[in-house]
Amino acid sequence: MAINPRFLDELRNRLTLSEIIGRRIKVTRMGRESKACCPFHSEKTPSFTINDDKQFYHCFGCGAHGDIIGFVMQHDNVSFIDSIEMLAAEAGMEVPKQTPQEVEKSKKEKDLHALLEEATLFFEAHLHDQRNGDALGYLLDRGLTKETLAEFRVGFAPDDAQALRKFLLAKDYSDKDMITAGVLRKSTRGGEPYAFFRDRIMFPVPDRRGRIVAFGGRILPDHMRPPQRGDFIPPKYINSSETPLFNKGSMLYGEPIARRAAADGQAIILVEGYMDVIACAQSGFRGALAPMGTAVTQEQILSMWKMIPDFTKIPILCFDGDGAGRKAAWRAVDRILPLLEAGRSVDFAFMPDGEDPDSLIKSSGAKGFQNILGGSLSLFDFIWNYYTAGRGFKTPELRAGVIKQLENEVARVANSDVQVHYKSLLRHKISETFFKRRSFKGNKYSKAIGVKPPRPRSYQSRAAHLFPRVLLASIINHPNIFGFVEDELCNLTIKEPRFDKLRQNIIDILSDDHAKNSDILLNQLENLGFAQEIGDICNESVYVHASFCSPSASCEDVQSNWLEYYNDGNAAGLGDEMQNGWRSVSCDEDVSRLRDLLYTKSRDGETL
Ligand SMILES: [Zn+2]
């Protein structure tokens, strides 16, 4: 769309730069100029000046400079055309349209926008109506502040199916427009049209310019709802149907706030629902967005990339940690692979079992959520894990099979530059995983006492059952000891395949990043499907046998005890007699019994 330059001049003349900027940041008038703390770099004393006569702003700190259109484009992170449409609306002007059809379409849309704005005000007023105090109370109980509710314009639709209609008819809106806008439904039984949203908490959905184009409505919890009508059970969430203003598959809830956050350098985070977006924003994750009741679409992925001003565009997609979440994540992979380009990808973060971002922030705070985001997987790692986690590849056929599957996925990357790198990363990972044996080096124990390093053993007795659990729990709770025990951990053979698989994955993760903290490691392991194993290992029934493996042990304690425990156990495992004897000892006595047996053997002069 070409914009007439005369129109742009008039637009600039009608608007006062300092006023438009003042609606977005705090501006102080100082004579002919205004000053502000620059929104484009971080500062405490204002070096951002606004000159209304000359119609430009300039920052002496970072050099940001431009006119009113440039400011809105940069600050609101919107396109040239969008910034003009937004400013025209603020100036009460019409952006000139080319054809009569465009003029007609634009007028209709404007009417619908105005109608939906009125409906939003209606719902907001009802949330703060005393009669709906329980709805407001419910939201406040869930931890949302009044400021947050106001920012997201959360409202309440009363149970009365005619209330909104009466309100809008009194403002001269027609039934037809209300139906087109999606707030009213035609009666199928010849009665009056009725409100689509009733007795629901209302989430107005703004488009990227901040205009309300649709609603999502959530029912109140059971105990707060009116008695059931017949056996109809209302769905928890309903959304406006498609309208001339609202295309479900291309829009994302939270977009205007997320766009500004992205311009400020915050991460774009895709979550599942309205409450997640709002809870994220309230705790500082203002780049949160959600699709509306559908799986993420290609359009939405492209739109998230567009919002991120940097060259590298990697939004984080959050999913539930369960099987359904994993499937949803895989559907997203399906859509993303053909879209990948240089600098564009996505990361995957998986919530702990039974949590969503809203509940997690409530239970563990912003830090808990940040930890989950910090443990997110790259697209490549997610694909790799999807095919390899929890599976054995002992035979050439199994290996060839999984390699074929992974190669098929990589072939779906349409961009040839990106595909080349996926292929090379895949080759590297395959050779690292299937062909490179970790070399056996003498461990610290053998160096110290000058004997042959103990051979890796498998353990079958109850003591043996405990042995790998203690060793793995220590590493999971204290990943920072990995550097000291890497060789031993690599040489450890665990008979139970699922725990051996867990051991290998711990090594893989910590070899890449020694500095991982326990929460992040735990999260990654859970994402890889080891929640059950971790539950079996990291609990009091294991800690009670060796206090140094519990999360509360000190770092020095873990370091000194881990190697001793490992060497004791490995050495003890060398004797068949000892191993047989062990099958009968009770679990509680294992550790001391082990030491006793060892002591006897050493005293008898046997070589360990
Ligand atoms: Zn600046």
Side-chain angles (χ1 to χ4, degrees):
M1 182 166 68
I3 305 266
N4 184 332
R6 277 225 306 272
F7 172 80
L8 291 185
D9 283 343
E10 195 180 340
L11 184 65
R12 289 192 188 95
N13 286 334
R14 283 239 213 139
L15 294 166
T16 309
L17 180 60
S18 59
E19 215 174 275
I20 294 297
I21 295 178
R23 283 178 202 165
R24 289 165 171 83
I25 58 174
K26 193 180 174 314
V27 166
T28 319
R29 179 111 216 135
M30 300 180 108
R32 299 179 67 83
E33 290 201 330
S34 304
K35 284 207 155 206
C37 283
C38 176
F40 306 123
H41 82 277
S42 165
E43 64 176 5
K44 294 237 160 60
T45 49
S47 47
F48 184 86
T49 58
I50 305 158
N51 189 316
D52 283 330
D53 296 339
K54 296 183 186 153
Q55 299 183 342
F56 71 73
Y57 63 87
H58 181 82
C59 172
F60 290 96
C62 69
H65 182 96
D67 70 351
I68 198 163
I69 297 165
F71 181 84
V72 172
M73 284 174 71
Q74 198 180 349
H75 182 268
D76 292 8
N77 193 16
V78 291
S79 70
F80 178 69
I81 298 292
D82 281 338
S83 70
I84 289 176
E85 295 266 6
M86 288 161 80
L87 288 167
E90 293 193 51
M93 289 169 70
E94 279 290 336
V95 179
K97 296 291 184 296
Q98 317 282 33
T99 65
Q101 287 89 335
E102 274 179 10
V103 173
E104 178 61 15
K105 185 172 168 250
S106 149
K107 190 189 166 306
K108 270 199 186 130
E109 286 182 358
K110 213 177 149 197
D111 290 347
L112 290 181
H113 280 301
L115 186 155
L116 289 164
E117 174 61 27
E118 289 291 352
T120 304
L121 292 169
F122 172 87
F123 294 137
E124 284 186 280
H126 274 268
L127 181 65
H128 296 280
D129 186 317
Q130 279 188 341
R131 284 170 296 176
N132 304 314
D134 52 350
L136 179 62
Y138 167 72
L139 290 166
L140 297 176
D141 276 353
R142 285 195 59 166
L144 301 183
T145 65
K146 287 200 168 168
E147 293 72 32
T148 302
L149 295 174
E151 181 172 30
F152 283 89
R153 306 194 67 186
V154 179
F156 183 72
D159 196 34
D160 178 352
Q162 294 298 321
L164 177 66
R165 180 170 176 243
K166 279 183 207 152
F167 175 81
L168 290 174
L169 284 174
K171 291 188 176 277
D172 285 336
Y173 291 101
S174 66
D175 281 342
K176 185 168 166 271
D177 282 351
M178 288 183 237
I179 291 167
T180 308
V183 293
L184 220 57
R185 277 277 165 101
K186 271 186 199 152
S187 166
T188 48
R189 281 168 267 165
E192 299 280 2
Y194 61 94
F196 178 56
F197 299 98
R198 296 182 308 283
D199 202 35
R200 281 173 184 271
I201 288 169
M202 297 298 289
F203 301 97
V205 179
D207 67 6
R208 64 178 185 277
R209 292 186 213 157
R211 298 171 303 186
I212 304 305
V213 294
F215 295 98
R218 185 199 195 286
I219 49 170
L220 291 168
D222 286 345
H223 67 277
M224 290 165 63
R225 278 189 287 140
Q228 292 293 324
R229 301 167 186 101
D231 53 6
F232 173 70
I233 298 168
K236 191 168 168 194
Y237 279 97
I238 54 175
N239 296 299
S240 298
S241 45
E242 303 267 313
T243 72
L245 302 182
F246 177 52
N247 176 272
K248 228 174 253 193
S250 65
M251 294 197 54
L252 288 159
Y253 179 66
E255 190 168 343
I257 292 172
R259 268 181 183 276
R260 288 185 192 183
D264 286 346
Q266 286 207 43
I268 288 291
I269 305 164
L270 188 78
V271 293
E272 205 189 337
Y274 302 102
M275 287 298 284
D276 296 322
V277 170
I278 298 176
C280 282
Q282 182 173 290
S283 54
F285 304 94
R286 295 180 64 82
L289 292 162
M292 278 154 287
T294 59
V296 64
T297 64
Q298 291 196 325
E299 254 184 297
Q300 287 165 337
I301 292 157
L302 294 171
S303 158
M304 286 190 283
W305 282 339
K306 253 189 215 158
M307 277 178 225
I308 302 173
D310 315 326
F311 178 77
T312 307
K313 301 169 191 300
I314 308 183
I316 304 172
L317 315 188
C318 294
F319 294 95
D320 292 348
D322 59 8
R326 215 160 289 276
K327 269 192 197 136
W330 190 252
R331 279 198 298 274
V333 170
D334 244 9
R335 298 191 170 108
I336 290 161
L337 286 178
L339 301 178
L340 293 179
E341 278 179 43
R344 296 180 178 203
S345 190
V346 297
D347 280 351
F348 291 88
F350 292 93
M351 296 297 116
D353 229 11
E355 301 266 23
D356 52 32
D358 174 32
S359 68
L360 185 75
I361 287 169
K362 210 172 169 197
S363 64
S364 329
K367 192 164 173 285
F369 186 54
Q370 184 60 56
N371 281 342
I372 300 295
L373 298 180
S376 59
L377 297 169
S378 70
L379 177 58
F380 180 87
D381 284 342
F382 176 65
I383 296 171
W384 175 268
N385 292 342
Y386 184 84
Y387 282 109
T388 60
R391 289 170 63 180
F393 301 103
K394 291 229 161 59
T395 69
E397 294 81 353
L398 287 172
R399 290 179 182 198
V402 74
I403 290 170
K404 184 80 207 146
Q405 284 176 309
L406 286 160
E407 282 171 350
N408 287 344
E409 296 302 341
V410 168
R412 296 172 57 221
V413 176
N415 181 297
S416 55
D417 295 339
V418 178
Q419 199 193 68
V420 166
H421 290 283
Y422 263 74
K423 279 182 175 161
S424 102
L425 186 55
L426 182 60
R427 273 196 304 273
H428 175 77
K429 190 94 178 171
I430 288 168
S431 82
E432 192 183 55
T433 308
F434 295 145
F435 301 111
K436 209 185 280 170
R437 297 284 307 160
R438 285 173 194 280
S439 62
F440 184 91
K441 288 180 260 171
N443 62 28
K444 294 169 184 72
Y445 175 78
S446 60
K447 280 177 208 137
I449 61 171
V451 295
K452 269 162 74 183
R455 275 175 292 135
R457 298 288 306 198
S458 64
Y459 294 85
Q460 293 162 327
S461 69
R462 288 292 302 279
H465 166 91
L466 194 61
F467 185 63
R469 282 169 168 73
V470 168
L471 295 177
L472 292 180
S474 322
I475 304 277
I476 292 170
N477 289 324
H478 303 274
N480 52 354
I481 67 161
F482 178 71
F484 297 95
V485 304
E486 182 173 10
D487 289 348
E488 288 76 3
L489 194 64
C490 290
N491 288 320
L492 178 67
T493 308
I494 301 177
K495 191 121 193 188
E496 289 166 277
R498 61 192 191 112
F499 288 121
D500 200 53
K501 189 83 200 160
L502 172 63
R503 177 190 66 94
Q504 285 165 17
N505 277 274
I506 291 173
I507 292 169
D508 285 347
I509 293 171
L510 294 179
S511 306
D512 287 346
D513 178 6
H514 284 231
K516 278 262 184 302
N517 81 30
S518 183
D519 286 350
I520 294 175
L521 174 64
L522 270 170
N523 182 249
Q524 272 182 276
L525 292 171
E526 281 169 7
N527 289 342
L528 291 167
F530 291 108
Q532 175 76 47
E533 284 69 23
I534 289 170
D536 291 348
I537 284 179
C538 296
N539 65 57
E540 286 305 322
S541 75
V542 174
Y543 303 156
V544 75
H545 298 287
S547 63
F548 71 85
C549 69
S550 87
S552 57
S554 76
C555 188
E556 299 87 294
D557 204 21
V558 187
Q559 252 180 51
S560 58
N561 281 293
W562 197 97
L563 279 176
E564 199 184 342
Y565 189 85
Y566 170 88
N567 289 322
D568 284 358
N570 242 0
L574 293 176
D576 284 344
E577 175 206 331
M578 192 173 291
Q579 219 180 17
N580 291 334
W582 277 52
R583 294 204 177 97
S584 60
V585 296
S586 91
C587 201
D588 297 357
E589 294 163 345
D590 286 340
V591 177
S592 55
R593 183 66 190 255
L594 175 65
R595 291 190 196 282
D596 289 345
L597 284 166
L598 262 173
Y599 176 66
T600 316
K601 280 217 157 194
S602 327
R603 196 186 45 196
D604 292 346
E606 284 193 44
T607 309
L608 290 178

